[in-house]
Amino acid sequence: MARREAPEINAGSMADIAFLLLIFFLVTTTMDVDTGLTRKLPPPIEDTNEPPPEVKQRNVFQVLVNANDDLLVEGEVMLVSNLREEAKKFIIGDASDESMPEFKITEVPIFGRIPVSKQIVSLQNDRGTSYEMYIKVQNELVAAYNEVRDEYAKEKFGSTMKELEKKAELSKKAEEQLEAVKAVYPQRISEAEPKDKGGK
Amino acid sequence: MSKFKKKKSGGQPAISTASLPDIVFMLLFFFMVTTVMREVTLKVEVKTPKATEVNKLERKSLVSYIYIGAPIKSLQSQFGTADRIQLNDAFATEKDIIAFVESEREQTNPVEVPLMTFSMKVDKAAEMGIVTDVKQELRKANALKINYSTGKTDKIVD
């Protein structure tokens, strides 16, 4: 009459279910790696009437992008694909050329006191510029700096910046080398307040 | 001799189904892996541009997202096609950025606040005007570490 003991549930698949959940969470936490261009914004302007420091024309690499996504580099129309080369030439500089940026003797780790270019890249865009174009230009400018640094690091230390970065986690020396290269070619990308011409 | 039963004649032996669960699990895993989960419902259409010099965003918990783009198709009748900003799950204006930054900071461990990154996921067709406004607001809020979310590509085309 009275039912005696219910049949036991087979728990053999419990392990499977547990593994399934485990793998599910493992996978979901590391999925879609977000990538992007990391930049640093300048700090907010204080309300002082101090004029901005004067920068000589020859030290500035002027990049303008208008609302039609046209690129004007140092007064000349240019394609995005040529921007990197031009920017690299400017960043490396040439002490004998009057139109190229000045050099200033600066204290740099490892190398000591050596001339460092006073280059500044100035980027100005219009409110109507498309974001895609802006990113392309940004990307090329960052790429120019990265390539210049890479070449320098290869010449001096025999490894690229990426390799140095990897080594820097383990050794103090590589970290110093990394800092040195960055100090020789400091990344100076200045963004001017955009003009409101072609925008809505 | 009845001791040895005559083998059944005809018919192949049944296929073993012991490995069937394995196969099913494998498929399940495959679909689980390929499914992308979103934390927010996107109300704006965002197709990020591509770049070559990308960095990986680390420490996801310290990254806050700002979406900019035209409203998605189903919302266009209501909100038009002009670019909009989306914070968390709702449309916002650039005036809301400072409050957004503050609330994100409150949710973060005070020690880690300087490490916070604001990632801008902007549609490639968006205009720079709205992006610049957002950047200016971020500057005012002293959120200076930003990231332009981009995909990775090998070459930039004109």
Side-chain angles (χ1 to χ4, degrees), chain B residues 97-148:
Chain B
I97 298 271
I98 293 179
F100 171 73
V101 171
E102 285 308 319
S103 78
E104 289 292 313
R105 278 192 182 139
E106 262 166 40
Q107 289 166 25
T108 314
N109 185 347
V111 184
E112 294 181 323
V113 163
L115 301 171
M116 283 175 74
T117 309
F118 286 83
S119 178
M120 304 218 277
K121 288 197 182 238
V122 186
D123 192 77
K124 55 182 169 187
E127 285 186 353
M128 274 312 289
I130 191 162
V131 180
T132 307
D133 291 341
V134 170
K135 270 160 67 184
Q136 294 297 355
E137 289 300 312
L138 284 175
R139 271 177 75 186
K140 273 187 216 160
N142 228 337
L144 303 179
K145 241 183 118 183
I146 61 161
N147 179 286
Y148 301 108

Side-chain angles (χ1 to χ4, degrees), chain A residues 34-35 37 127 129 131 134 146, chain B residues 65 126 128-129 135 148 150:
Chain A
D34 256 326
T35 55
L37 299 173
R127 287 185 71 86
T129 307
Y131 180 68
Y134 174 77
N146 286 351
Chain B
Y65 295 96
M128 274 312 289
K135 270 160 67 184
Y148 301 108
T150 56

